[in-house]
Amino acid sequence: QVQLVESGGGLVQAGGSLRLSCVASGRTFNPYRMGWFRQAPGKEREFVATITWSGGSITIADSVKGRFTISRDRDKNTVYLQMASLKPEDTAVYYCAAGRSLAWGSPNSYAYWGQGTQVTVSS
């Protein structure tokens, strides 16, 4: 089994920055990719960013491109989401996910999920 634990969320003013972390554990942890999604109240879960675990290939959603970056530290089994120039519309619960699918944009492509961390951006 694989466990994912996110941290780093909080309240920040518009224009500020946050870094989310996701630590993975479990004997069977061997993903093809890790991803970040977010879900605002009343909205569907939305793709934010993904990185392949081995090669580090990155895809970023257009809505956050140029403001968010994703990275991973394989030695620490950790994936990061660095968020800058935050906007009130970035307010959501952010989820870390892991999976072995070649597809990356749908939540259905990921088998494991963290519990989520709240990010609130005030105007």
Side-chain angles (χ1 to χ4, degrees), residues 75-99:
D75 290 338
K76 296 181 178 180
N77 276 2
T78 300
V79 63
Y80 303 98
L81 185 68
Q82 180 68 50
M83 307 184 294
S85 302
L86 283 161
K87 306 175 181 180
E89 51 263 43
D90 295 320
T91 296
V93 177
Y94 283 72
Y95 296 92
C96 173

Side-chain angles (χ1 to χ4, degrees), residues 32-37 46-52 57-62 65 97 99-110 113:
Y32 176 75
R33 67 172 64 256
M34 301 285 291
W36 287 96
F37 285 74
E46 174 190 23
F47 168 76
V48 176
T50 186
I51 185 168
T52 58
S57 178
I58 289 171
T59 303
I60 305 286
D62 288 342
K65 195 170 292 183
R100 297 194 56 81
S101 173
L102 296 179
W104 48 263
S106 167
N108 294 332
S109 300
Y110 298 81
W113 292 84

